[in-house]
Structure formats: C-alpha cells, structure tokens
Amino acid sequence: MINSAFVFTITNAVLFQVGWFVCILCGSFWAGVFTLAAIAFHFMIVQQRRDDAVAVLIAIALGLLHDSLLLHSGQIQFAESAYLPPLWLVCLWALLGITLNHSLVWIYSRPLWSGLLGAIAAPLSYLAGVSLSSAEWSSPLVEVLPIIAILWLVVLPLHRFLSLRVLSYVQRKTTGLSSSHSRS
C-alpha cells in the first residue's frame, strides 16, 4: 500500500519541478496560469493552509527583495522589466513557498543545512534559468554566482525565522481572540 503522505510529498516536488520549467521556458503568462493552478490545487488538498500561506507570502517577499537586489546592483537584467523582477520569476518564488513545509521540509527545518544547500543549489538554478529564459547576466559569472551563493546562505534560514515569527504572532492573536470571545 502506498502512503498518502509520501504521494503528496512526491507530487509537491514534481509540481515544483514542472513549475520551474514552465516559468523558465514559457514566460510570465503561462507561469502565472500554472502557478495559480498549482497553488489552488495545493491549498485544496493541504491541511496546514495557514502555515503554507505564510510560507508563500514570505517567499514572494524575499524573492522580490533578492531578485530586485540582483537587478538593481547590475548583476542580472530582464527583457520584461528594468525595475522589478518579471512575473515568471515571482511565480518561481511562490512555487518554492509551497514546497518548504512539505517536500523540502527535511532541509528547511535545519537552518544551517538549508543555508549551505541554498548556497550551492541556488547559483546552479540561476545559471540554468538564465541560460533558458529571457534573463541575461549583466556582470561576469565569477562575480554574480558568489553573490547569489552568499544571499542564499541566508534566504532559507531567514524565511524560516520570519515564518515562525509570523505564525507565532498569528497564533497569539488567534488565541487572544478566542479567549476574549469565550469570556463574553
């Protein structure tokens, strides 16, 4: 018998990988369509919706910050926009957000390891993504890839830190509201 949690974890990972290719190869329109469908599917079947919503929103915020830093520091450029990262790249961050509590939880829950893995995997992902998409490097790779690696030393640990803080805050507010309603 196949464990449903295992099937969900594999589906979650495959959804991200397919989404990576759709976002990189098909541009913003199809990236948006795929990401909306993937997120809708994810939130229909997942039980921890609040945790995952926080993960997605923080991933998008960190992604916008990360990629805007690369864009405005002259490391990368996008055909679609000179001021903000394109929608297809934002979609990749949203898709990453739905993996963190599921198929990537094994690394995400270990800040040191997630930072180290991010410092290795993210430059490789950007290298592949830029070669397949409309993005272009604006600086030499020997300059850009170490910058991405350094940023990713903190991206996943920072994401985890922020997620836990936001969820703790929401939990306190929710518990406070429940307590005040029960006293009424």
Side-chain angles (χ1 to χ4, degrees), residues 11-24 34 92 95:
T11 302
N12 183 257
V14 168
L15 202 59
F16 175 77
Q17 276 310 139
V18 170
W20 189 91
F21 283 107
V22 169
C23 291
I24 297 294
F34 180 88
L92 278 173
L95 291 168

Side-chain angles (χ1 to χ4, degrees), residues 64-164:
L64 283 169
L65 177 63
H66 177 277
D67 293 327
S68 292
L69 282 171
L70 292 177
L71 177 64
H72 293 290
S73 67
Q75 306 305 311
I76 195 168
Q77 60 187 5
F78 303 103
E80 299 90 336
S81 173
Y83 302 104
L84 289 173
L87 178 63
W88 61 264
L89 194 50
V90 176
C91 288
L92 278 173
W93 286 94
L95 291 168
L96 174 67
I98 64 172
T99 67
L100 295 175
N101 293 318
H102 304 287
S103 58
L104 289 180
V105 74
W106 61 275
I107 193 75
Y108 178 63
S109 61
R110 295 170 178 87
L112 176 63
W113 290 108
S114 68
L116 291 174
L117 183 63
I120 295 167
L124 296 174
S125 181
Y126 273 80
L127 193 58
V130 168
S131 68
L132 294 172
S133 72
S134 61
E136 294 181 12
W137 299 115
S138 304
S139 296
L141 288 180
V142 295
E143 179 182 319
V144 178
L145 295 180
I147 291 170
I148 293 172
I150 290 166
L151 288 171
W152 273 83
L153 277 171
V154 298
V155 166
L156 289 178
L158 178 60
H159 185 286
R160 176 109 171 134
F161 173 81
L162 293 172
S163 292
L164 291 173

Side-chain angles (χ1 to χ4, degrees), residues 2 4 26-27 30 32-33 42 44 57 60 78 85 88 101 103 107-108 119 123 125 129 132 136 184:
I2 297 176
S4 63
C26 299
W30 290 110
V33 169
H42 178 83
M44 282 189 332
L57 293 173
I60 291 170
F78 303 103
W88 61 264
N101 293 318
S103 58
I107 193 75
Y108 178 63
S125 181
L132 294 172
E136 294 181 12
S184 308

Side-chain angles (χ1 to χ4, degrees), residues 51-62:
D51 293 9
D52 287 353
V54 168
V56 168
L57 293 173
I58 291 174
I60 291 170
L62 285 176

